[in-house]
Amino acid sequence: MSETIPSPVDDMTEGAVRPAGQKTVFVKSYGCQMNVYDSQRMADVMGAEGYREVATPEAADLILLNTCHIREKAAEKVYSELGRMRALKEEAKAQGRQVLIGVAGCVAQAEGEEIVRRARTVDLVVGPQSYHRLPDLVARAGVTPGVVDTEFPVEDKFRHLPDAAQARTRARGISAFVTVQEGCDKFCTFCVVPYTRGAEVSRPVGQVIAEVEKLALAGVREVSLLGQNVNAYHGEGPDGTEWSLPRLLRRLAEVPGIARLRYTTSHPREMTEDLIAAHRDLPALMPYLHLPVQSGSDRVLAAMNRRHTRDDYFRIVDKVRAARSDVVLSSDFIVGFPGETDADFADTMDLIRQVGFAAAYSFKYSARPGTPAAGIEGHLPETVMTERLHALQALVTAQQRAFQDSLVGQVIDVLFEKPGRNPGQMVGRSPYLSPVQVIAPSSLAGTIAAVRIIGTQTNSLNGVLEHALHMNAVQAAE
Ligand code: SAH
Ligand code: SF4
Ligand code: F3S
């Protein structure tokens, strides 16, 4: 049998030398955190087949693009990327090496065979519910390119995928994501997710606990639970009953080594009293809530089929703040939903002023094929959307700055992760998710220390160890 000879392409790629005979996989993620989590699971499942994960497409025998369909721009990005991948594939072929290209994720689910027709370079298309079948699909695509699997299978993909902690090769960080719920039954009129991810499914409690326990043993201290509607979680408990998200959070807070819990993304309709109470009762549950509202206009909220009003949102925010006074909020906003008037937009700006957000993601409405909103009257000109987006972003940026500035002088807990921007610095996260740069020994990675915030930068904070400050004060007094 002939051995694979490292090609000149490998030699040009730093740190990407291919060991003789070992296959390699490169996965690129677009879109949301769930795609990032899924990409790791895909790398794991191929890892179990002997594939080593590499950091560049040039070094890979299998290239997987894990795509996003949420807005037109996101979806179109895939096709330009495929053009680049085609060149790599042809170069490899000239050297006698077969490279397979796969499209996964939400574009795969939405467009299926259309992708293979539009980009002949694609060897396989795999939807988000079929990743456990990847080894079989790759084997088939190696023989006959153009394999498409976008079924919503009856079996649960999570039962078949290696879990996050089983991957031997990947260094685990301090902070990890764990998908607990996938899919959406809400059918907001603008959104593709219910079609690309399918109906809401929750992972069983036992599976989630086992994964979090393993991550904790691997050194993870902070876990963010993921779901398109994570607070609609209703997983089967070990006792056979359905567990809610707050019940799951209470249980996970007991896992030794887990110091911090977060969850995202929540829907306002699922902010139950019990979940709000968990913010009051669980110190491990971080005081940061991403609660997308999309619009501050009741008329637009109704047209979006969000099924709550602006007042409902205000009431929820009040209750969460009453349960835990230091909770900060972030949200998603869509500007220029079809039919949105100046008055509707003014309502959104008013809601932002009244609530006060520590961060926000804002988007121009993008008409998505197959969604109800794409077919309704009153699509707005691009210029109006751009104007509104800029105004909204200016307001949110000002709020974000005000929040960061309000932390200066305060002492907050920082969970240290890795070396920081400058030599001698470590970077960690505040409870409010902002990165904090601190002069600190690297031995602090994975620990929480009190840090006094002394300044702000655009997207991060500067701080000093409170402990070190005390020492300086003692030294000065001596
Ligand atoms: N499940 C989450 C959102 C998931 S999609 C929720 O219900 O809030 C992430 C964000 O993308 C949405 O919150 C929305 O702000 C934005 N988005 C979704 N579809 C969009 C579209 N067609 N055009 C513009 N933005 C969109
Ligand atoms: Fe999309 Fe609405 Fe479901 Fe969020 S709740 S994923 S915006 S349909
Ligand atoms: Fe995009 Fe799919 Fe996530 S459309 S935002 S990758 S659920």
Side-chain angles (χ1 to χ4, degrees):
M1 269 186 48
S2 68
E3 299 250 333
T4 313
I5 299 162
S7 69
V9 180
D10 284 325
D11 299 337
M12 281 160 24
T13 317
E14 228 182 55
V17 180
R18 182 178 306 117
Q22 185 171 34
K23 294 257 188 184
T24 52
V25 57
F26 169 76
V27 194
K28 180 159 182 180
S29 284
Y30 303 82
C32 61
Q33 289 302 339
M34 193 165 293
N35 262 8
V36 176
Y37 180 85
D38 281 346
S39 291
Q40 292 174 349
R41 299 294 74 70
M42 283 194 269
D44 293 346
V45 82
M46 292 316 294
E49 300 292 308
Y51 279 72
R52 187 169 57 91
E53 191 180 1
V54 289
T56 57
E58 290 83 359
D61 301 305
L62 173 63
I63 296 172
L64 295 171
L65 303 183
N66 197 7
T67 61
C68 175
H69 199 246
I70 201 81
R71 285 168 291 276
E72 191 181 353
K73 250 196 210 148
E76 284 304 316
K77 221 187 259 173
V78 179
Y79 288 99
S80 52
E81 188 73 7
L82 280 172
R84 278 196 289 279
M85 298 301 154
R86 186 174 151 203
L88 283 183
K89 184 174 171 168
E90 281 167 4
E91 238 172 85
K93 195 173 172 197
Q95 293 156 5
R97 187 164 67 86
Q98 186 189 34
V99 169
L100 293 181
I101 296 181
V103 176
C106 290
V107 177
Q109 190 61 46
E111 296 186 5
E113 294 185 354
E114 183 60 31
I115 298 175
V116 182
R117 268 197 293 278
R118 215 177 131 180
R120 295 202 171 273
T121 189
V122 172
D123 299 292
L124 71 125
V125 175
V126 54
Q129 302 311 324
S130 305
Y131 296 153
H132 54 294
R133 299 207 286 242
L134 205 51
D136 173 49
L137 301 174
V138 170
R140 277 164 46 202
V143 181
T144 322
V147 175
V148 178
D149 185 347
T150 52
E151 296 290 302
F152 284 120
V154 276
E155 79 265 21
D156 169 2
K157 78 171 179 187
F158 290 110
R159 285 197 191 280
H160 300 271
L161 283 174
D163 71 41
Q166 264 172 14
R168 286 173 299 262
T169 46
R170 186 171 314 126
R172 298 279 149 215
I174 302 300
S175 182
F177 292 101
V178 173
T179 294
V180 300
Q181 179 276 339
E182 190 168 350
C184 184
D185 297 338
K186 297 275 191 295
F187 290 93
C188 301
T189 52
F190 52 82
C191 183
V192 294
V193 171
Y195 313 100
T196 63
R197 293 276 170 172
E200 252 173 48
V201 179
S202 297
R203 286 176 76 185
V205 172
Q207 231 186 67
V208 175
I209 295 173
E211 186 164 329
V212 171
E213 283 175 344
K214 283 190 203 159
L215 287 169
L217 284 176
V220 166
R221 307 292 317 278
E222 175 178 272
V223 168
S224 301
L225 304 181
L226 294 181
Q228 265 96 25
N229 268 284
V230 73
N231 52 350
Y233 178 85
H234 56 274
E236 192 189 328
D239 50 1
T241 66
E242 259 185 17
W243 283 34
S244 62
L245 182 69
R247 189 161 176 202
L248 181 68
L249 287 164
R250 284 172 199 273
R251 174 65 185 81
L252 294 178
E254 292 168 5
V255 173
I258 296 300
R260 289 181 165 188
L261 292 168
R262 303 179 185 276
Y263 61 90
T264 196
T265 298
S266 337
H267 193 288
R269 280 178 59 85
E270 313 278 355
M271 283 308 296
T272 59
E273 301 288 334
D274 205 13
L275 182 54
I276 294 171
H279 281 275
R280 180 193 62 213
D281 301 339
L282 295 177
L285 187 53
M286 289 295 98
Y288 182 104
L289 179 62
H290 183 60
L291 192 63
V293 63
Q294 315 297 353
S295 167
S297 150
D298 280 340
R299 225 178 51 79
V300 173
L301 286 171
M304 287 176 162
N305 191 34
R306 294 290 289 183
R307 295 189 292 153
H308 65 79
T309 62
R310 61 188 261 124
D311 272 345
D312 292 334
Y313 192 80
F314 288 137
R315 266 204 304 276
I316 295 165
V317 170
D318 287 346
K319 280 191 204 161
V320 175
R321 285 181 168 150
R324 178 138 187 195
S325 58
D326 67 335
V327 118
V328 303
L329 282 124
S330 68
S331 177
D332 295 346
F333 294 96
I334 295 178
V335 300
F337 185 80
E340 185 188 74
T341 62
D342 284 336
D344 292 322
F345 179 64
D347 280 347
T348 301
M349 296 291 272
D350 176 68
L351 179 142
I352 297 172
R353 277 187 210 100
Q354 287 200 44
V355 173
F357 291 95
Y361 301 89
S362 46
F363 313 99
K364 291 181 203 172
Y365 169 75
S366 168
R368 307 306 292 130
T371 57
I376 59 179
E377 298 283 298
H379 284 255
L380 296 182
E382 189 69 22
T383 47
V384 174
M385 292 204 268
T386 306
E387 223 171 84
R388 289 181 185 170
L389 187 72
H390 286 166
L392 189 153
Q393 285 179 342
L395 177 57
V396 170
T397 306
Q399 292 190 339
Q400 197 170 354
R401 286 223 185 93
F403 170 67
Q404 303 272 67
D405 289 345
S406 74
L407 293 175
V408 175
Q410 286 196 36
V411 176
I412 57 178
D413 281 345
V414 171
L415 171 57
F416 284 98
E417 289 179 8
K418 55 183 182 209
R421 200 175 289 140
N422 300 316
Q425 273 186 340
M426 291 285 287
V427 64
R429 295 243 169 219
S430 77
Y432 317 108
L433 264 188
S434 22
V436 189
Q437 306 279 346
V438 183
I439 300 281
S442 57
S443 57
L444 283 191
T447 65
I448 294 173
V451 166
R452 186 174 293 274
I453 302 303
I454 55 168
T456 63
Q457 290 177 34
T458 321
N459 288 313
S460 65
L461 301 167
N462 289 332
V464 287
L465 285 174
E466 185 63 355
H467 171 66
L469 263 189
H470 285 318
M471 297 224 312
N472 288 342
V474 172
Q475 277 161 7
E478 276 170 6

